[in-house]
Amino acid sequence: MSWTDWSARQPLLSQACWDTLYMVGWSTLIAVVGGLPLGVLLVLTDRGGLLQNVLANKVIGQIVNVARSMPFIILMVALMNFTRWITGTTIGREAAIVPLAIGAIPFFARLVETAVREVDGGLVEAVQSMGGNTWTVVRKVLVPESLPSLISSTTTTIVALIGYSAMAGTVGAGGLGDIAIRYGYQRFETELMWITVAILAVVISLIQFAGDYAARSLHRRGGRSGPVPKLRLLKAATATGKTG
């Protein structure tokens, strides 16, 4: 690629990067808001859970499994009418957010479920014995104790969404995937395609590094299995006693 071609393509790549980050950012936010309570609910309604309801647990679990098993490209097609109803269109970055978020919610929910299940049951029992209700247990124990793992789960979800956003580019969603398909594949500009691959690799590496660093920092400051779980439990129990 000549310098002239690169100068012409640079604004295009800059806009594509922004479109990808825009889609992934909003999709991640929606996935966390929807997947976090869903994952916690899967734990609470399971056998021996605080809200044990085997039927509800199986129904929710089956819905999550079906949603997770659907290939993303098929999910985009299946949700076209719903996407058009929400955004008024089926192309562009706003339209891509709908299937991206819906596809990520069950994915993130299972990661949340795994993270929350690893919390020491003794902490839950201790807070319950001091009068803590289900909401108190979730807010004071389950979420804080699993926070390092939840950060790692969010990082994994973001990385997966970047891959999904590249696939969304095949149906006119924009972003780096669209550039790779439209210019790298259809117009045989192989160098441009590899540039988009390199950009995606750098972005993913930076996100993974930031997520790992945040998770390690929380762990050292007293996340799950950290150095001060008893002190943190005492604080939770004290707060429970004060708030009733």
Side-chain angles (χ1 to χ4, degrees), residues 19 23 42 56 64 110 132 163 169:
D19 288 342
M23 289 187 290
L42 283 168
V64 169
R110 282 300 187 190

Side-chain angles (χ1 to χ4, degrees), residues 30 89 119 129:
I30 297 171
T89 182
V119 174
S129 68

Side-chain angles (χ1 to χ4, degrees):
M1 183 183 297
S2 68
W3 175 254
T4 302
D5 291 337
W6 169 249
S7 298
R9 296 288 185 252
Q10 191 172 4
L12 192 67
L13 285 169
S14 298
Q15 183 61 44
C17 288
W18 167 246
D19 288 342
T20 295
L21 294 175
Y22 181 88
M23 289 187 290
V24 171
W26 278 107
S27 301
T28 301
L29 178 62
I30 297 171
V32 170
V33 171
L36 180 60
L38 188 60
V40 173
L41 190 61
L42 283 168
V43 176
L44 295 179
T45 58
D46 201 4
R47 295 183 186 277
L50 300 179
L51 300 176
Q52 178 175 317
N53 188 321
V54 177
L55 178 60
N57 183 267
K58 287 184 177 180
V59 171
I60 297 172
Q62 191 60 35
I63 292 173
V64 169
N65 290 338
V66 170
R68 285 182 63 203
S69 66
M70 186 173 297
F72 180 69
I73 194 73
I74 295 177
L75 182 65
M76 284 194 298
V77 175
L79 291 175
M80 276 188 174
N81 290 334
F82 180 70
T83 300
R84 185 181 292 110
W85 179 68
I86 294 291
T87 65
T89 182
T90 58
I91 60 174
R93 62 185 191 180
E94 281 77 18
I97 291 172
V98 176
L100 283 171
I102 292 177
I105 286 174
F107 178 82
F108 184 68
R110 282 300 187 190
L111 295 178
V112 171
E113 180 189 12
T114 301
V116 172
R117 285 190 188 281
E118 294 177 358
V119 174
D120 185 0
L123 299 178
V124 175
E125 294 175 1
V127 172
Q128 281 185 299
S129 68
M130 296 177 185
N133 57 23
T134 300
W135 170 242
T136 301
V137 170
V138 171
R139 187 165 55 94
K140 296 290 186 178
V141 179
L142 296 183
V143 172
E145 287 295 313
S146 61
L147 194 55
S149 291
L150 291 178
I151 295 294
S152 297
S153 298
T154 303
T155 304
T156 301
T157 302
I158 293 173
V159 172
L161 280 171
I162 291 175
Y164 290 162
S165 72
M167 284 190 282
T170 63
V171 292
L176 291 169
D178 179 55
I179 297 298
I181 294 295
R182 219 161 19 107
Y183 291 88
Y185 177 71
Q186 295 177 349
R187 301 186 185 182
F188 303 103
E189 297 185 23
T190 308
E191 290 183 10
L192 187 59
M193 182 177 67
W194 284 112
I195 288 172
T196 60
V197 171
I199 293 173
L200 286 170
V202 170
V203 170
I204 289 174
S205 297
L206 291 174
I207 290 172
Q208 189 67 58
F209 174 80
D212 291 345
Y213 178 80
R216 287 195 299 268
S217 297
L218 285 171
H219 185 79
R220 286 195 297 267
R221 289 171 57 185
R224 192 188 64 239
S225 301
V228 288
K230 292 183 179 180
L231 176 60
R232 193 167 50 256
L233 175 59
L234 179 60
K235 291 180 179 179
T238 302
T240 300
K242 290 181 179 180
T243 58

